[in-house]
Amino acid sequence: MTVASGPIAKWRGIPTSKYTKTSPNLLLIDAFLNRQWGFFFNGGRVVRTVRGGDSPSIHSWGAAVDSSWRKTTRAKSLEAIEWILANSKELHVDEIHDYKANGRVWKSDRQSWKDNPTMPGANSGDWIHYQTTIEGWADTTPLAARPGLVLPSGSSVPSRPTVDFPVFEPENCKFSLWPLSQSKPLLFVGMPFSAEAHDATRYLQGGFRCAGFDVKVDGDYGAATEGIVKFFQQHDGLVVDGRVGRESWAKFDAAVLKGVEQNLQVQ
């Protein structure tokens, strides 16, 4: 098993403006878990304290992702966990929480599992939580191109495209990994504020702007943005309600990927 060695810098204090989204490195891992084992994105960056405590959660820096195996099997989740462990150094993963198995936690500095049956979701959770190091947070190197990384047995090099830039500047047609996200929030006028919904709205507005619409990329899902959404919904034969749910996101993501295909590379 290959693991990171030496002292590892920890996430401490208050998140800075540098960490305003989910780690691009972790999104690459999540996308691979989806392709290979049928996982789906179950949560990334959210600014909050640790459950049952008052210190910042690792999620506050976008340094952790929860990937669910609910739509597949426990056996496949164990295969995925073993693959992450075997490639932890190349994936920049220094901690894994497996909620199904007595709340067990693996840390690279001790290179072993330890049970934590009191953590929320222990014994019954159908997802894994994995964390990236500070050094690996922004790594956008395609997984198959990382020296030393071993693909799962029987796996071929993934053919799903990955945006070849980590920058999230939707006003400049740079969307980071948003088009490949496995899950996005429901958007509608009057929705409660959240960091994820704010970024999702910016992504949506940026796509419209880059398609030629005069819309401000400010993360505010107001009447102007809703009007363009309704236009697209009518054009694509969807329910014209101004709400961006699963079907509208699927159509929009496909349009964005097609529009920036010159900036894609096959992973």
Side-chain angles (χ1 to χ4, degrees):
M1 179 186 302
T2 304
V3 297
S5 60
I8 300 173
K10 298 297 183 182
W11 299 92
R12 293 192 178 95
I14 300 173
T16 68
S17 58
K18 178 180 178 180
Y19 305 106
T20 58
K21 61 182 179 181
T22 300
S23 158
N25 175 55
L26 294 181
L27 289 179
L28 284 171
I29 298 172
D30 174 77
F32 186 80
L33 297 182
N34 170 263
R35 288 192 300 268
Q36 185 69 25
W37 290 288
F39 280 64
F40 66 88
F41 184 76
N42 201 38
R45 180 179 184 269
V46 58
V47 178
R48 63 171 175 81
T49 58
V50 296
R51 302 195 186 284
D54 55 9
S55 58
S57 163
I58 194 75
H59 283 282
S60 300
W61 288 270
V65 155
D66 296 332
S67 294
S68 176
W69 48 272
R70 187 181 313 152
K71 297 179 180 179
T72 180
T73 66
R74 175 58 176 165
K76 289 186 177 181
S77 78
L78 294 174
E79 288 180 15
I81 289 172
E82 287 304 311
W83 177 76
I84 294 174
L85 290 176
N87 294 277
S88 61
K89 181 178 180 180
E90 294 77 14
L91 296 172
H92 311 295
V93 170
D94 67 350
E95 193 164 322
I96 304 173
H97 298 185
D98 179 12
Y99 290 85
K100 183 67 174 178
N102 206 31
R104 62 176 182 162
V105 177
W106 176 89
K107 294 185 178 182
S108 62
D109 55 1
R110 67 170 179 245
Q111 302 184 31
S112 63
W113 290 96
K114 184 177 180 180
D115 286 348
N116 183 9
T118 62
M119 70 186 195
N123 299 302
S124 60
D126 54 13
W127 70 95
I128 61 173
H129 161 113
Y130 45 99
Q131 302 175 185
T132 185
T133 62
I134 294 175
E135 297 80 4
W137 186 92
D139 191 353
T140 57
T141 305
L143 301 188
R146 297 187 183 187
L149 187 143
V150 179
L151 292 173
S153 177
S155 173
S156 59
V157 177
S159 59
R160 184 172 178 174
T162 304
V163 177
D164 193 25
F165 41 72
V167 180
F168 182 61
E169 296 178 351
E171 62 275 13
N172 296 319
C173 302
K174 296 183 178 180
F175 303 106
S176 186
L177 297 175
W178 270 97
L180 301 182
S181 173
Q182 300 302 304
S183 175
K184 295 183 177 69
L186 173 67
L187 302 182
F188 56 93
V189 173
M191 63 186 169
F193 175 83
S194 72
E196 185 182 22
H198 177 80
D199 282 350
T201 300
R202 288 184 62 213
Y203 163 56
L204 187 76
Q205 292 169 329
F208 290 152
R209 184 177 182 85
C210 295
F213 287 86
D214 183 14
V215 59
K216 189 174 182 180
V217 183
D218 58 4
D220 180 15
Y221 193 88
T225 302
E226 182 189 47
I228 303 175
V229 167
K230 288 182 176 179
F231 171 84
F232 270 92
Q233 288 176 330
Q234 184 174 25
H235 178 271
D236 290 327
L238 301 173
V239 175
V240 183
D241 58 4
R243 297 166 69 90
V244 185
R246 181 179 300 178
E247 292 186 355
S248 292
W249 273 128
K251 293 286 188 180
F252 181 75
D253 285 341
V256 169
L257 282 171
K258 183 177 180 181
V260 299
E261 61 185 358
Q262 68 273 19
N263 292 318
L264 299 178
Q265 71 176 27
V266 175
Q267 190 181 41

